[in-house]
Amino acid sequence: MPRLILIRHGQSQWNLENRFTGWWDVDVTEKGAAEAVAAGHLLRDRGVLPTTAFTSLQTRAIKTLHLALEGCGRLWVPEDKDWRLNERHYGGLTGLDKAETAAKHGDDQVKVWRRSFDVPPPVLEKGSEFDLSADPRYAGITVPQTESLKDTIARVLPCWEEKLAPALRSGETVLVAAHGNSLRALVKHLSGISDDEITGLEIPTGQPIIYELDDALGEVERYYLADR
């Protein structure tokens, strides 16, 4: 039975500071690193051991992957870094304090930007402080200036079809260490969650989600490993 493990990166510095992060590259905090190690220990103790791994091009997810793999004694497994697993791009909100943004624009407007399915935040201007178009890790990639959750799903699903699904079909136990919204995209697809409901799905940091899948990669069961 194919098995997929999803882990949202451990707490990042901007999670702690309550800032919109998106594609900006921030590190995990000490707490976030501990969450990743604990996730690895849980995988080890439950005997859920990945044989291959995927992550984004962002430090917080990469470090979470490595710490979790080390924690379960699997640091040696192959890994694939793919920009399509990056967090949703928060456009012109990048770097802003969430509470201050709500005070300026109103709670309702911020809720639309954060939680609507297909309404993106304002665009990030080219050449601004958080513009990543010249970052060497994105060479050859058109870096978005903003994204809705719908946009994020549209880039994550081809990664699923091209990389994750074939690995699962070949018998691999696949670990994906990624971000709240890129993981929402996978959960929406695998669990058939509606557009309206997926925006309210919270994925906690550092908590392995396990998918037991059938041979057609349909969901048999989805659960948090800590609950077993």
Side-chain angles (χ1 to χ4, degrees), residues 100-115:
E100 291 175 359
T101 305
K104 180 178 179 180
H105 296 283
D107 289 335
D108 290 344
Q109 179 61 68
V110 173
K111 186 176 180 180
V112 168
W113 286 332
R114 292 188 67 192
R115 292 303 188 189

Side-chain angles (χ1 to χ4, degrees), residues 144-189:
Q145 291 177 275
T146 187
E147 287 181 311
S148 64
L149 178 56
K150 182 179 180 180
D151 297 328
T152 307
I153 292 168
R155 63 167 158 85
V156 171
L157 290 186
C159 182
W160 163 261
E161 295 293 346
E162 295 167 20
K163 294 182 176 182
L164 307 183
L168 288 161
R169 291 191 187 102
S170 70
E172 303 281 5
T173 297
V174 174
L175 169 59
V176 179
H179 307 263
N181 284 295
S182 51
L183 293 181
R184 276 192 184 97
L186 293 174
V187 170
K188 184 183 192 305
H189 175 70

Side-chain angles (χ1 to χ4, degrees), residues 12-68:
S12 75
Q13 187 60 41
W14 280 14
N15 290 149
L16 180 63
E17 296 173 12
N18 201 34
R19 299 168 73 181
F20 290 100
T21 312
W23 277 41
W24 194 248
D25 201 33
V26 299
D27 208 343
V28 292
T29 61
E30 185 175 329
K31 177 184 176 182
E35 288 175 338
V37 171
H41 289 167
L42 186 60
L43 293 172
R44 176 198 65 196
D45 295 345
R46 298 290 196 274
V48 181
L49 299 176
T51 60
T52 193
F54 296 84
T55 190
S56 71
L57 295 185
Q58 298 183 270
T59 297
R60 57 194 186 273
I62 297 167
K63 279 199 174 179
T64 295
L65 174 64
H66 291 170
L67 290 167

Side-chain angles (χ1 to χ4, degrees), residues 78-142:
E79 65 180 75
D80 186 327
K81 300 181 183 73
D82 195 306
W83 71 272
R84 293 175 295 183
L85 294 173
N86 275 20
E87 178 57 291
R88 171 189 172 191
H89 197 299
Y90 274 102
L93 301 181
T94 303
L96 298 180
D97 177 277
K98 293 177 182 178
E100 291 175 359
T101 305
K104 180 178 179 180
H105 296 283
D107 289 335
D108 290 344
Q109 179 61 68
V110 173
K111 186 176 180 180
V112 168
W113 286 332
R114 292 188 67 192
R115 292 303 188 189
S116 67
F117 181 70
D118 56 4
V119 179
V123 299
L124 180 70
E125 296 299 328
K126 291 285 188 182
S128 63
E129 179 183 1
F130 300 114
D131 179 15
L132 290 167
S133 57
D135 190 309
R137 86 188 78 185
Y138 301 120
I141 296 168
T142 301

